[in-house]
Amino acid sequence: MLTKLLSGDTPRSSLLTVILLIVLVCLAFAPFLFPGTKSLETAARICIFIVLVASYDLLLGYAGIVSFAHTMFFGIGAYGTALALSATGPSYVSLAWGTLAGAVLAAVFALAIGLFSLRVKAIFFAMVTLAVASAFAVLVSQMSWLTGGEDGLNYKIPREFTPAFKLVEEKVLDVRINGKLLAYYLVFFASAFLFLVMLRIVNSPFGRTLKAVRDNAFRAEAIGYRVVWYRTTATVLSAVMAALAGSLLAVWLRYTGPATTLSMEIMIDILLMVVIGGMGTLYGAVLGATLFILAQTYLQNLMGIASEATSAVPFLSTLVAPERWLLWLGVLFVLSVYFFPSGIVGRLRAGRA
């Protein structure tokens, strides 16, 4: 049953299985295992970025397409939901049609980019996507009458997903069962469903053909596969999944702005998560997103503790000062690439083999 649910793509490593189960349990019971607003925010971001990173790995790891427009699709999904909720009020109908509109618009943009650009070589396609994404971000920032400009949009969501809503009066395991908790589980289950859908896609005949196109496009075309069609379809599917992840972020934050969805920093973070976890395996998105977001959130705090503990050693305490957390995050990334050149999942599977 479990193998069928995972579309036959099991972790294929005992240690990897244990790690993935730990991540799944921690995310599934995060409100009860790690009480507090910060930990819940972190868990929700991990769920959303697992979908976002997996959708990019569908494009990069399985189709071999380098794109810098992924945050544009992420932003389209978020703004679609935000604009719908702002324009027609916090109803489930608004939430549904805003999410659908964002996904459809992202698919249209991806189709246009794919049809016009995927016939060129990889580096030129990457430059085209970078130009389109940059132009879109500028356009969103300038259209303040619609998107709120640099300030973004604040809006209301259905009351059942707000902290003011209480499902039961009594606490359960010292946790209040309110709308915020329901919103988290909406994000968790939606992310799990989208991840399983992508797992089904990459393990279907379509996914296996994508790998053939990635490995040798000329040979795939010579035996009859329409390479441009497969690449364009992968681009559209990836864009739709990224847009749905953006919609989840919009619901969770109740705010959408260029800094939270369209910035190039997010695109770089996605690339780092894919490389850390391992390209060409969706399980790498789980580990990459989890490790990177945990490091982003808690590394500075850990360095503050280390700095206090080594205060008697001047040079060492300065080296581990909290304001240098980005330096150590970079060091950790370099070490991960050095010791895990095929990503964490690739290394664990190779060790098993």
Side-chain angles (χ1 to χ4, degrees):
M1 179 63 182
L2 183 60
T3 303
K4 187 176 181 180
L5 185 65
L6 297 176
S7 303
D9 189 0
T10 57
R12 301 200 298 273
S13 165
S14 300
L15 181 56
L16 178 59
T17 302
V18 171
I19 295 172
L20 291 172
L21 284 174
I22 291 173
V23 172
L24 177 62
V25 170
C26 289
L27 291 177
F29 299 101
F32 304 98
L33 294 175
F34 312 104
T37 303
K38 185 176 182 179
S39 58
L40 195 63
E41 292 283 344
T42 303
R45 284 188 66 220
I46 289 173
C47 291
I48 293 167
F49 269 83
I50 284 174
V51 176
L52 182 60
V53 175
S55 67
Y56 188 69
D57 193 37
L58 174 63
L59 194 64
L60 177 63
Y62 287 89
I65 300 170
V66 180
S67 169
F68 293 108
H70 213 60
T71 49
M72 180 181 74
F73 305 129
F74 185 53
I76 288 173
Y79 273 101
T81 302
L83 289 170
L85 291 170
S86 299
T88 57
S91 67
Y92 291 105
V93 174
S94 302
L95 184 61
W97 78 258
T99 300
L100 180 61
V104 170
L105 187 60
V108 170
F109 269 73
L111 181 62
I113 292 173
L115 291 177
F116 283 104
S117 306
L118 280 172
R119 293 181 183 275
V120 300
K121 293 184 178 179
I123 186 64
F124 298 106
F125 175 75
M127 293 300 101
V128 169
T129 59
L130 178 60
V132 172
S134 300
F136 185 83
V138 171
L139 182 65
V140 168
S141 299
Q142 295 297 320
M143 296 175 64
S144 56
W145 57 273
L146 179 65
T147 64
E150 293 290 344
D151 295 330
L153 293 172
N154 289 290
Y155 43 86
K156 294 181 180 179
I157 61 175
R159 185 175 180 275
E160 289 76 14
F161 296 128
T162 62
F165 176 78
K166 295 180 182 178
L167 189 62
V168 294
E169 291 295 330
E170 297 79 12
K171 291 184 176 181
V172 177
L173 298 177
D174 204 32
V175 175
R176 193 172 298 281
I177 309 300
N178 58 12
K180 190 72 171 178
L181 189 70
L182 296 180
Y184 173 75
Y185 279 108
L186 171 68
V187 169
F188 172 78
F189 285 112
S191 299
F193 174 75
L194 293 174
F195 182 82
L196 291 175
V197 168
M198 284 187 280
L199 207 58
R200 176 66 268 175
I201 291 171
V202 300
N203 289 286
S204 67
F206 172 79
R208 288 190 285 272
T209 306
L210 273 185
K211 293 179 185 178
V213 171
R214 175 199 64 191
D215 294 338
N216 195 320
F218 179 78
R219 183 182 299 168
E221 193 162 16
I223 62 177
Y225 290 109
R226 293 177 293 173
V227 170
V228 172
W229 184 88
Y230 277 94
R231 284 176 170 171
T232 303
T233 305
T235 304
V236 171
L237 289 173
S238 176
V240 169
M241 291 298 174
L244 293 174
S247 296
L248 290 177
L249 183 70
V251 172
W252 176 253
L253 291 182
R254 290 181 288 170
Y255 165 81
T256 298
T260 60
T261 56
L262 297 172
S263 72
M264 186 52 62
E265 291 180 6
I266 297 176
M267 186 68 246
I268 294 172
D269 290 347
I270 294 170
L271 281 167
L272 293 179
M273 292 178 203
V274 169
V275 172
I276 290 171
M279 290 188 294
T281 163
L282 295 188
Y283 294 120
V286 178
L287 298 188
T290 301
L291 292 175
F292 190 85
I293 291 175
L294 286 176
Q296 267 190 332
T297 307
Y298 294 108
L299 182 60
Q300 191 171 8
N301 295 338
L302 292 175
M303 289 182 63
I305 296 172
S307 181
E308 291 180 5
T310 58
S311 57
V313 186
F315 176 75
L316 186 58
S317 62
T318 303
L319 193 62
V320 296
E323 59 268 19
R324 290 181 172 80
W325 73 276
L326 275 175
L327 168 66
W328 288 104
L329 184 62
V331 170
L332 290 175
F333 172 70
V334 171
L335 291 176
S336 68
V337 172
Y338 181 78
F339 289 106
F340 304 99
S342 58
I344 297 173
V345 172
R347 181 68 180 86
L348 291 176
R349 284 180 168 177
R352 173 66 176 175

